Amino acid sequence: MNLQILELPRLIAERRSSAIFGLVIIAMVWAGVAVKYFGDVRGDQREAHRDVHNFALVFEENVLRSIGEIDKALLYLRRSIETRKNSVSFSAIANTTDVLSDIIVQVAIIDDKGFMRASNSGPQPAPALDLSDREHFKFHLNNVADQLFISKPVVGRVSGKWSVQFTRRFVNSDQTFGGVVVASLNPDHLTKFYNNINFGSAAAIALIGSDGVVRSSGGSAVGYALGDDLSGTELLDQMRAGVETTFESIDPANNETRFITVRKVKGYPLWVSVSLSKSQILESSRNALKLNSLLGTVLTLLVLIALEQLLRIDAKARQKANQLDLTLEYMNQGIMLVTYDQQIPIINRRCGELLDLPVEFMQNPPRVDQLAEYETPTGRLTAASVQILADLVAGEPGVSERTMPDGSIIEIRRESLPDGGFVQTFTDVTKRSRAEADAVRLSSEDSLTGLPNRRMFRSMLDQMSRRQPSAVDNGQPPAEFAVLFLDLDRFKAINDTLGHQTGDLLLQEMARRLKSTLGTNEVLARLGGDEFAVVVATVESRPALEALANNMIEAAQKPFEIGGHRIRSGISIGIAIGPCDGVNCDDLLIAADLALYAVKAQGRGSYKFYHAAMNRELRQRRRLEIDLREAIEQNEMELYYQPILNLRSNIITGFEALARWRHPVNGMIPPATFIAVAEDTGLIQPLGEWALREACRCAAHWPNNLKIAVNLSPIQFAASNLSEVVRHALAETGLQPHRLELEITEGVFMTNNESTLSTLRQLKQLGVRISLDDFGTGYSSLSYLRSFPFDKIKIDRSFVSDLAEGTEHVVIVQAVVSIARALGMTTLAEGIETVGQYEFLAALDCDEGQGYLFSPPVPIAKVPEMIAKWSLGRKFVA
């Protein structure tokens, strides 16, 4: 490009015109500097407005998610109190797992006089503290409305920590005021995640109540402190105006101007505030101004020198003009000057690069009105270049942006000149625009999996719910849509044993796998933790939803190879169909959640559609969980013992201990029912430890040749202290280690083989025997036998049931017996109910057996009679 400077005439008049033109160039340079600076200031301010708005959206989402989790715990706690039986203690309710959470400092129950009746924090039982002076108690005492109350920050009298109290009132059976349930939130939770985000060195965030009191604060700059009262401040005035707004305010502490955004938290008397220092925001503009001013000064000096030389010698004047030309040529911004008569006297190289103009155009730019007909030696201008130039010329003064054919984004600033011409500057703002797009994406996308987050999921569901009334108004039947709630099976055990990094990788792989099963009509979102959801925009049929659920379950069940670990997980799915299962978003979410809970209550790895009876089933399961917890705490569980016989001598070699629960109202509860509840709620740990100690204690009084077998749940097996629990039980009861057999299923190998084998070796070092239960029903039994020397293999009852008919199970049992004998292991057949089965197993040389043919499980009082009955052996005849 060559700057088009008019030839200097030899006449004095022409020199004077050249001098005037030089002054115009100087004015244009400083006008460009000013335009650039004020444009940068406006751009930085717009960007700051967008940043604080987007960060406020993210902050609000985190607050809503935390409040929703706390309120869910409070509602469950209140329902447990209002439906409890007299035998259920407040302490048992306060310590239930469904109200425990990492973000809740304390859960407490306050009676109608203001005394604390129970707490899951501090000494147990909780002291009866008088909390009648607390704000959250007074609010519910004088307010009959069912309303969530969020207190000012206080120091808990039990926990001794700063907390914000979330409370709801509960009533007695006669609907009188019964008291208050309290969940205390650590205020730092609401802002600690944002302390890791690089807002800049002068950013501050806060959560503020409508009363003006700060509930939580954070950020990298000194802002409002926890508990500050903002009465009389401009911030509180803006909050009371009732709308989201961004404004400037001077901080009286340091006389600093800040950009502040306040946003109302949807559905709650809370506001989120995000503020940035104006000085920091405009720092880049000031730096650019310094650089451009320096360039402008250099250009001005060069022009003045050129003018001085022009007045003396024309050649020197041209030389200085060329120096000016070179300086403009290498500016980082593109510059174009268009005169009043549509000439383009100035256009630099950077302008040609940004607008993709040919070299010929830069060397000889045409008049503006000749752009469309302009030809170069290689042909006409491209259609894109012609259109770009025409649009620029026809534009209005101000700032605009244009996306170029190569995807870059150009910011165009246009200023009119007094003589009717105009100057345009062009700046590549691609990086800045993409950064702004990333900030917007952050507010609607899950950072771990890249899926839509909870906010976007609810937005999609809201849109589908709102389209139903419109369809009815237009005389059309409402179109059905569906919500599928997904919950990963065994995720907590995987996360705890293999670490959070492996857990995160599993979530990412699961998200990719589930997404691959969906069609264009379905959208997968991650709601948080191990919870996913699918929105089906249009339901074709119920069988189609069933097929979708089965495809996702099948995909999730395949093993994952993560970090050298072979991991098996799975999913459970609850399905709700709108609008029949709910007329709005919240109703549908509750319905899908209830359906998911019903799946988990029956063993996981499946799906269920919501139906109205699930509310009743949920209450029954909650009741069963509370009763089971009390039965374990009150030592009301029992152990029954089923004999194990040597199939050659028909003499008892030991017993298997089996847990039984005799409910005071419902009678005997099936083990399949209460064991599933215990595993889902974490009660399997205390129940399993009790069963181990009780079985060892009873067996210690039997003859020394009899063994006792105890089942271990996969959840018990995942505990890091299992070997210590077994060692302590043996030491406490005096039972010899070789008389204890621990039975495990193949399920313990599904998470981490190396960790499982390490635990098995620790148990073998104690001297106890290890049995592999339900052999043959899993995926890779033979690999387990090769990797660990089990003492016994238990053949599952499914292979024993039809042996007498001579099915292929005879071959399978014979193969198992042969393999076990070759490996030096004992075999035991379960579920022997007929003499024919017994004779087949004896003929196949199976070592031991148990089943109703010999005896059902019996109470401990009948064990001596059973030992005496089988001490000499018996004969069986068909």
Side-chain angles (χ1 to χ4, degrees):
M1 195 283 297
N2 186 18
L3 237 172
Q4 302 303 309
I5 304 297
L6 300 177
E7 285 291 334
L8 299 176
R10 298 183 180 278
L11 299 175
I12 295 177
E14 291 178 341
R15 290 177 180 171
R16 185 178 297 122
S17 298
S18 298
I20 294 174
F21 183 69
L23 294 175
V24 170
I25 291 178
I26 293 175
M28 182 187 69
V29 169
W30 285 104
V33 171
V35 168
K36 178 64 168 64
Y37 172 68
F38 289 114
D40 286 347
V41 168
R42 290 192 297 269
D44 288 342
Q45 289 177 340
R46 285 197 307 272
E47 185 176 356
H49 277 268
R50 284 191 294 266
D51 286 348
V52 294
H53 171 75
N54 289 330
F55 290 139
L57 283 176
V58 176
F59 190 9
E60 180 197 8
E61 169 66 18
N62 187 56
V63 170
L64 283 172
R65 183 168 56 250
S66 299
I67 292 176
E69 181 176 344
I70 294 171
D71 198 23
K72 182 178 179 181
L74 284 175
L75 290 173
Y76 171 69
L77 186 60
R78 180 177 70 179
R79 183 168 58 252
S80 298
I81 293 172
E82 292 178 346
T83 60
R84 74 187 182 99
K85 296 181 180 180
N86 293 332
S87 60
V88 181
S89 65
F90 280 132
S91 177
I93 294 174
N95 285 277
T96 182
T97 55
D98 274 13
V99 296
L100 299 181
S101 173
D102 293 339
I103 69 173
I104 298 177
V105 175
Q106 176 192 11
V107 172
I109 302 173
I110 303 173
D111 64 18
D112 58 345
K113 300 298 189 297
F115 285 91
M116 185 175 73
R117 294 289 304 280
S119 169
N120 68 344
S121 177
Q124 299 291 333
L129 294 179
D130 184 1
L131 302 177
S132 59
D133 60 332
R134 286 297 201 189
E135 177 187 19
H136 52 271
F137 177 79
K138 292 179 179 180
F139 174 84
H140 291 295
L141 181 63
N142 300 316
N143 188 355
V144 297
D146 181 12
Q147 185 174 349
L148 176 68
F149 178 73
I150 305 173
S151 74
K152 300 173 183 176
V154 296
V155 177
R157 293 176 181 166
V158 174
S159 65
K161 302 176 181 178
W162 275 102
S163 63
V164 175
Q165 310 290 350
F166 289 74
T167 62
R168 281 188 180 272
R169 73 192 318 261
F170 65 86
V171 297
N172 298 316
S173 59
D174 59 358
Q175 301 303 308
T176 59
F177 176 63
V180 177
V181 289
V182 184
S184 303
L185 169 69
N186 182 352
D188 292 341
H189 169 79
L190 297 173
T191 55
K192 67 180 181 181
F193 171 76
Y194 300 93
N195 291 337
N196 298 325
I197 297 179
N198 184 15
F199 283 132
S201 60
I205 61 175
L207 179 66
I208 306 165
S210 295
D211 54 4
V213 176
V214 177
R215 265 57 173 185
S216 182
S217 64
S220 54
V222 177
Y224 304 119
L226 181 66
D228 277 357
D229 188 345
L230 305 183
S231 298
T233 64
E234 183 180 0
L235 178 61
L236 186 58
D237 293 339
Q238 294 288 348
M239 287 170 51
R240 287 174 175 169
V243 295
E244 177 182 352
T245 184
T246 301
F247 61 94
E248 291 187 24
S249 180
I250 297 177
D251 188 348
N254 52 18
N255 205 31
E256 179 184 49
T257 301
R258 303 183 68 83
F259 276 107
I260 302 174
T261 285
V262 289
R263 178 180 177 84
K264 181 74 167 59
V265 177
K266 184 178 180 181
Y268 297 98
L270 298 171
W271 292 77
V272 293
S273 167
V274 180
S275 68
L276 297 174
S277 168
K278 183 175 181 179
S279 176
Q280 181 184 353
I281 292 169
L282 300 182
E283 183 177 356
S284 62
S285 300
R286 290 193 295 269
N287 291 337
L289 177 63
K290 292 177 183 178
L291 177 62
N292 290 335
S293 296
L294 178 61
L295 290 174
T297 301
V298 171
L299 292 175
T300 300
L301 291 175
L302 291 175
V303 171
L304 291 175
I305 292 172
L307 290 176
E308 181 182 7
Q309 295 300 317
L310 179 63
L311 295 175
R312 296 179 180 179
I313 305 174
D314 294 344
K316 289 185 178 180
R318 292 191 183 93
Q319 181 182 7
K320 297 305 178 183
N322 289 336
Q323 291 176 351
L324 174 60
D325 178 30
L326 186 63
T327 302
L328 290 175
E329 187 72 4
Y330 288 96
M331 288 184 67
N332 192 44
Q333 288 177 298
I335 295 178
M336 177 190 292
L337 174 65
V338 179
T339 63
Y340 71 95
D341 56 355
Q342 300 189 0
Q343 298 285 347
I344 306 178
I346 297 177
I347 181 170
N348 67 354
R349 177 184 57 84
R350 182 58 176 159
C351 184
E353 292 174 352
L354 294 176
L355 301 183
D356 192 25
L357 299 174
V359 175
E360 294 86 347
F361 186 98
M362 305 302 295
Q363 293 173 343
N364 293 291
R367 289 170 50 88
V368 170
D369 54 3
Q370 297 174 345
L371 288 175
E373 292 78 23
Y374 181 79
E375 291 190 16
T376 69
T378 57
R380 291 180 179 270
L381 288 177
T382 64
S385 297
V386 171
Q387 187 62 47
I388 290 170
L389 290 172
D391 290 346
L392 294 179
V393 171
E396 297 293 332
V399 180
S400 61
E401 290 185 356
R402 173 180 288 275
T403 300
M404 304 302 292
D406 63 356
S408 62
I409 300 173
I410 307 299
E411 181 184 76
I412 305 165
R413 299 176 185 272
R414 173 178 175 139
E415 291 291 337
S416 299
L417 297 177
D419 64 352
F422 58 88
V423 61
Q424 292 185 135
T425 62
F426 305 88
T427 306
D428 189 337
V429 294
T430 306
K431 291 183 178 179
R432 188 184 75 189
S433 297
R434 289 174 180 170
E436 292 171 355
D438 288 341
V440 173
R441 180 177 53 81
L442 179 64
S443 67
S444 61
E445 182 180 287
D446 175 54
S447 58
L448 179 64
T449 62
L451 298 174
N453 61 10
R454 181 181 292 270
R455 171 185 288 276
M456 182 59 65
F457 169 76
R458 286 188 63 94
S459 176
M460 291 187 292
L461 203 53
D462 279 332
Q463 291 177 7
M464 294 179 191
S465 299
R466 287 195 297 268
R467 80 185 182 187
Q468 305 306 317
S470 300
V472 174
D473 293 341
N474 293 330
Q476 301 174 354
E480 288 189 332
F481 60 100
V483 178
L484 287 75
F485 262 18
L486 285 64
D487 188 67
L488 269 63
D489 299 336
R490 297 183 295 276
F491 178 74
K492 185 178 187 302
I494 295 170
N495 215 32
D496 292 343
T497 56
L498 302 182
H500 295 293
Q501 183 176 5
T502 300
D504 288 346
L505 292 173
L506 174 60
L507 290 173
Q508 291 173 338
E509 290 298 321
M510 184 65 79
R512 281 192 283 270
R513 189 175 290 182
L514 293 175
K515 190 173 181 180
S516 68
T517 66
L518 303 181
T520 57
N521 190 40
E522 298 98 26
V523 178
L524 176 67
R526 181 181 176 224
L527 305 186
D530 63 340
E531 294 181 345
F532 293 83
V534 174
V535 176
V536 181
T538 303
V539 175
E540 297 178 2
S541 65
R542 190 183 182 99
L545 287 178
E546 293 175 346
L548 173 62
N550 283 323
N551 288 340
M552 289 192 290
I553 291 172
E554 182 180 350
Q557 287 176 342
K558 297 177 183 177
F560 295 85
E561 298 291 342
I562 298 178
H565 302 290
R566 186 177 179 85
I567 299 173
R568 292 187 183 275
S569 184
I571 58 172
S572 301
I573 305 176
I575 307 174
I577 300 177
C580 58
D581 291 339
V583 297
N584 56 45
C585 175
D586 290 331
D587 289 345
L588 282 169
L589 294 181
I590 291 173
D593 200 23
L594 284 173
L596 176 60
Y597 190 89
V599 175
K600 293 192 288 187
Q602 294 187 2
R604 299 178 179 271
S606 183
Y607 68 88
K608 278 186 177 295
F609 286 86
Y610 169 78
H611 56 81
M614 286 180 175
N615 288 297
R616 181 178 67 256
E617 294 170 0
L618 175 61
R619 290 194 297 271
Q620 291 173 347
R621 182 170 173 91
R622 297 293 193 196
R623 179 73 269 162
L624 188 66
E625 178 188 337
I626 293 173
D627 291 347
L628 178 60
R629 185 182 301 279
E630 288 194 349
I632 295 173
E633 292 175 353
Q634 302 299 326
N635 200 25
E636 296 174 355
M637 304 297 292
E638 302 177 52
L639 282 184
Y640 275 41
Y641 299 86
Q642 187 173 34
I644 299 172
L645 274 72
N646 184 300
L647 296 184
R648 300 182 187 90
S649 63
N650 294 334
I651 294 176
I652 289 180
T653 60
F655 290 85
E656 180 178 2
L658 301 166
R660 294 294 185 266
W661 179 21
R662 192 183 306 275
H663 193 278
V665 177
N666 301 325
M668 295 298 287
I669 304 297
T673 299
F674 72 79
I675 292 297
V677 173
E679 289 183 336
D680 282 344
T681 60
L683 293 174
I684 195 66
Q685 291 287 7
L687 177 59
E689 291 180 13
W690 166 81
L692 178 65
R693 289 194 307 272
E694 181 66 12
C696 291
R697 184 187 66 79
C698 293
H701 300 290
W702 300 342
N704 288 336
N705 63 323
L706 297 183
K707 300 179 177 61
I708 182 69
V710 180
N711 290 282
L712 289 180
S713 163
I715 296 177
Q716 285 179 267
F717 201 85
S720 60
N721 66 337
L722 176 60
S723 61
E724 182 61 23
V725 170
V726 175
R727 186 196 65 77
H728 184 73
L730 292 171
E732 180 182 327
T733 61
L735 183 70
Q736 295 175 323
H738 73 275
R739 296 180 59 199
L740 174 63
E741 287 187 355
L742 297 177
E743 296 185 359
I744 67 170
T745 64
E746 295 176 2
V748 303
F749 290 90
M750 296 181 69
T751 300
N752 184 2
N753 286 359
E754 289 303 320
S755 175
T756 299
L757 293 175
S758 175
T759 302
L760 288 172
R761 294 186 185 105
Q762 293 174 19
L763 294 174
K764 286 289 281 186
Q765 289 174 0
L766 295 177
V768 302
R769 294 167 58 82
I770 307 295
S771 297
L772 182 59
D773 198 6
D774 298 334
F775 181 76
T777 61
Y779 293 93
S780 52
S781 306
L782 294 180
S783 68
Y784 305 151
L785 300 183
R786 188 173 64 251
S787 60
F788 182 79
F790 290 95
D791 296 288
K792 181 183 292 185
I793 297 174
K794 297 187 70 175
I795 302 172
D796 188 69
R797 65 182 63 247
S798 63
F799 296 106
V800 176
S801 61
D802 57 355
L803 282 179
E805 282 74 27
T807 65
E808 70 276 5
H809 288 173
V810 175
V811 178
I812 295 175
V813 173
Q814 188 173 21
V816 172
V817 172
S818 299
I819 293 171
R821 180 162 290 105
L823 295 175
M825 301 176 186
T826 302
T827 52
L828 182 151
E830 299 179 292
I832 302 175
E833 298 181 354
T834 68
V835 174
Q837 293 170 354
Y838 157 75
E839 291 176 343
F840 257 98
L841 290 166
L844 292 173
D845 212 13
C846 183
D847 297 305
E848 294 178 337
Q850 68 182 104
Y852 275 63
L853 176 64
F854 311 125
S855 171
V858 297
I860 185 61
K862 293 187 178 182
V863 169
E865 175 187 343
M866 190 69 59
I867 294 174
K869 177 180 177 182
W870 292 93
S871 61
L872 300 177
R874 297 180 63 187
K875 286 289 186 179
F876 289 97
V877 293

